[in-house]
Amino acid sequence: MFRFLRPATAVLLALALTPAVAGNALAAEASSSTQTVASATTGEPEGPALTLELNELRRDDGACRITFVAHNGLPSNLSALAYEMVLFGTDGGIERMTKFDFGPMPQGRTIVRRFNMPELDCAAVSRILINGVTRCQGAEPRTCEQALTTANRTGIVFGL
């Protein structure tokens, strides 16, 4: 009945029809598609997550100050959280590898952490790669990596 319509049009048409006309299977499929689209458009991670946002890089007293906003959406407090990160230069080469220690991360809380990188020009950083978890106390280390989502408010590349 809908084979010549685009899939999105067929789903909308099926939603307008009663389940008796459209068929229970098509109505159920349309309903689950609508839910998937809704969760995808909110930008919210599905399930518990650790969110790490690269908020700013700014020159400060001969150092590059890197600011992160972190949120613990896991079901438990973390007594310690640290990630190894790699800073790449504009030429693609590695500028430095370092550990950023976020300290305790209470469940449900958002924190801001600033790290000063001495003798680093912020304009020379093109990318920050989260290389791995170095400390995750209060959860399994793989949880602190698998539940990690990233956000970015800067002009450089940031993430896993």
Side-chain angles (χ1 to χ4, degrees):
M1 177 169 168
F2 301 113
R3 74 175 192 215
F4 296 111
L5 298 175
R6 290 183 173 167
T9 306
V11 169
L12 291 174
L13 186 57
L15 286 173
L17 299 173
T18 63
V21 175
N24 289 335
L26 184 57
E29 181 181 330
S31 175
S32 68
S33 295
T34 303
Q35 291 171 355
T36 302
V37 169
S39 64
T41 58
T42 62
E44 294 296 319
E46 292 183 23
L50 280 170
T51 305
L52 191 57
E53 174 191 278
L54 177 59
N55 187 272
E56 181 181 54
L57 279 82
R58 174 181 289 182
R59 190 83 178 148
D60 186 43
D61 288 333
C64 180
R65 176 181 283 172
I66 303 173
T67 304
F68 293 97
V69 177
H71 178 77
N72 180 2
L74 296 176
S76 62
N77 292 323
L78 298 175
S79 57
L81 178 66
Y83 290 99
E84 179 183 68
M85 296 195 199
V86 182
L87 285 69
F88 291 86
T90 54
D91 64 354
I94 295 172
E95 287 291 320
R96 20 190 114 173
M97 290 179 70
T98 189
K99 178 177 87 171
F100 289 117
D101 190 341
F102 291 87
M105 293 279 303
Q107 190 274 328
R109 294 273 320 270
T110 299
I111 62 167
V112 175
R113 295 286 187 254
R114 290 182 168 162
F115 302 95
N116 287 334
M117 304 298 296
E119 301 175 15
L120 177 68
D121 180 10
C122 293
V125 179
S126 66
R127 176 181 176 202
I128 299 177
L129 169 73
I130 301 169
N131 206 36
V133 177
T134 59
R135 230 168 47 167
C136 177
Q137 294 175 347
E140 291 292 320
R142 63 186 157 96
T143 299
C144 289
E145 189 164 338
Q146 292 173 349
L148 181 64
T149 61
T150 60
N152 189 353
R153 292 186 180 266
T154 71
I156 68 169
V157 177
F158 173 65
L160 302 168

